[in-house]
Amino acid sequence: MSAVGLGCNNFGRAGTPTETPTGTRDVLDAAIDAGVTFVDTADIYGRSFGLSETLMGEALEGRRDRVVLATKFGHADFAPAIAGGSKGSRAHIRRAVEDSLRRLRTDWIDLYQLHTPDPETPIDETLDALADLVREGKVRYIGHSNFSGWQIAEADAAASGVRFVSAQNQYSLLARAAEREVLPAARRFGLGFLPFFPLHNGLLTGKFTREGGPDDSRIMRQRPHLWRDAPWDALERYQDFCDARGISMLEATFGWFLANPLVSSVIAGATSAAQVRANAAAATAWSPSAADIAELDGILSLPADPAAG
Ligand SMILES: NC(=O)c1ccc[n+]([C@@H]2O[C@H](COP(=O)([O-])OP(=O)(O)OC[C@H]3O[C@@H](n4cnc5c(N)ncnc54)[C@H](OP(=O)(O)O)[C@@H]3O)[C@@H](O)[C@H]2O)c1
């Protein structure tokens, strides 16, 4: 698994260069050339269900073995219900994996992840169904996403034989809630951690200021509130921190992630070949000292827990 991964929820995303087969192929070519070989998609990604996987399958034709391929199934809000019920059920998993394998044009998925917890299906059933896929060779490893600390512990206690190996949750310098329960649970139960939205949708690349950002960016086109409501005083202190060390914000952001031994791969999304190349290069540009990490904690710290007394 490469330390820098490629998040693929841009594949097939409306209004991006990666909406098309050509744009997708350009990004994937650049990723593989730069050594970014861990790719993370999901059945729900793309402007229509399955499109990201379909574009991935086309772009991987003839070179499937060059990447470690992760995908996801069973998003509670977006995945269509499949006959058989809940998204973590045996029936849903069986159907979902066959559909993903067909769209991805492959015989196996390296990491198959439950996209969101399923409150209706006992985790034992989900684990059992996934273990069958591992035994059949359709899936190599299994992971989960958006689990809380207690759900990670519950899944570990329920497993016998095939176990979840990874947790994927939102985590970045601007979204640090995973530090409370999820990262400690991942450490305790030996899971690799995959931070999603690692660049906070692009806000942590350095291309935005209090005054604005590129019109063609996802943030300005689709999620302007992320820019409008950003903690600009802290982000400006972060930019000063980078300037004082002669590094870019992108380099500092990747360096911060990769100094954390729990982080298996930084699955940053990209809409162009140049972005993937920049992300791969950023990963080796800067290694923070313990003092640097402490200073960053002071600038962009975890907010106080409102539940704490
Ligand atoms: N498990 C889950 O529930 C879940 C949820 C969300 C995401 N994910 C996963 O996490 C992955 C990453 O999340 P994400 O792609 O949404 O967000 P992200 O990695 O935080 O941000 C990616 C965006 O930042 C911009 N960018 C990336 N590299 C750049 C560079 N070098 N210079 C300038 N801009 C750059 C691009 O957007 P623009 O070009 O548009 O500015 C890119 O689409 C997803 O692809 C997906 O695999 C998982």
Side-chain angles (χ1 to χ4, degrees):
M1 182 177 287
S2 55
V4 176
L6 178 64
C8 299
N9 68 4
N10 287 315
F11 288 10
R13 181 191 291 271
T16 63
T18 41
E19 184 178 359
T20 63
T22 311
T24 297
R25 184 175 291 277
D26 284 351
V27 166
L28 199 64
D29 287 351
I32 292 172
D33 285 350
V36 174
T37 53
F38 178 60
V39 294
D40 179 73
T41 185
D43 55 8
I44 60 163
Y45 293 164
R47 66 180 141 70
S48 57
F49 187 85
L51 183 57
S52 173
E53 287 186 337
T54 299
L55 293 173
M56 175 81 83
E58 285 171 23
L60 277 180
E61 192 78 58
R63 53 178 174 171
R64 166 67 185 88
D65 56 350
R66 301 282 303 277
V67 301
V68 177
L69 176 58
T71 192
K72 311 182 199 79
F73 68 95
H75 195 293
D77 300 330
F78 301 114
I82 291 173
S86 309
K87 310 288 173 59
S89 68
R90 180 176 290 281
H92 184 96
I93 289 173
R94 184 54 66 178
R95 180 66 193 283
V97 77
E98 297 300 344
D99 288 350
S100 285
L101 288 168
R102 182 177 37 75
R103 286 189 293 261
L104 291 164
R105 303 187 186 190
T106 183
D107 297 330
W108 83 99
I109 292 162
D110 292 295
L111 179 66
Y112 199 41
Q113 304 156 99
L114 174 58
H115 208 146
T116 56
D118 174 0
E120 288 169 18
T121 307
I123 194 69
D124 316 54
E125 177 177 334
T126 304
L127 274 164
D128 203 43
L130 290 170
D132 283 349
L133 302 184
V134 173
R135 279 189 282 273
E136 290 164 24
K138 293 181 174 175
V139 165
R140 296 228 162 123
Y141 296 95
I142 60 171
H144 51 61
S145 178
N146 296 297
F147 271 31
S148 62
W150 73 262
Q151 288 165 327
I152 293 174
E154 182 195 42
D156 188 81
S160 59
V162 177
R163 316 180 88 76
F164 289 115
V165 301
S166 62
Q168 183 175 143
N169 292 68
Q170 183 171 9
Y171 186 51
S172 73
L173 278 159
L174 284 173
R176 299 182 67 166
E179 290 174 5
R180 285 194 223 286
E181 293 279 342
V182 172
L183 286 174
R187 183 182 299 111
R188 172 68 182 82
F189 296 109
L191 303 177
F193 184 71
L194 300 168
F196 78 69
F197 289 155
L199 306 177
H200 211 72
N201 285 258
L203 204 60
L204 289 167
T205 60
K207 68 182 178 183
F208 296 90
T209 67
R210 203 187 281 269
E211 280 68 48
D215 290 338
D216 62 351
S217 59
R218 179 199 303 175
I219 287 184
M220 288 316 200
R221 283 189 311 114
Q222 295 177 337
R223 302 180 184 172
H225 63 280
L226 290 176
W227 164 73
R228 205 179 42 239
D229 302 338
W232 281 111
D233 290 347
L235 278 170
E236 285 171 357
R237 285 203 298 280
Y238 183 33
Q239 186 62 64
D240 292 344
F241 171 96
C242 301
D243 293 346
R245 286 158 182 77
I247 55 175
S248 68
M249 189 182 286
L250 192 72
E251 290 167 343
T253 300
F254 276 94
W256 175 79
F257 272 118
L258 295 173
N260 183 341
L262 276 176
V263 172
S264 302
S265 185
V266 184
I267 49 168
T271 54
S272 68
Q275 287 183 355
V276 183
R277 284 194 279 268
N279 296 347
T284 54
W286 179 65
S287 297
S289 65
D292 291 325
I293 299 277
E295 196 173 329
L296 277 175
D297 284 345
I299 297 171
L300 293 157
S301 58
L302 179 66
D305 182 354

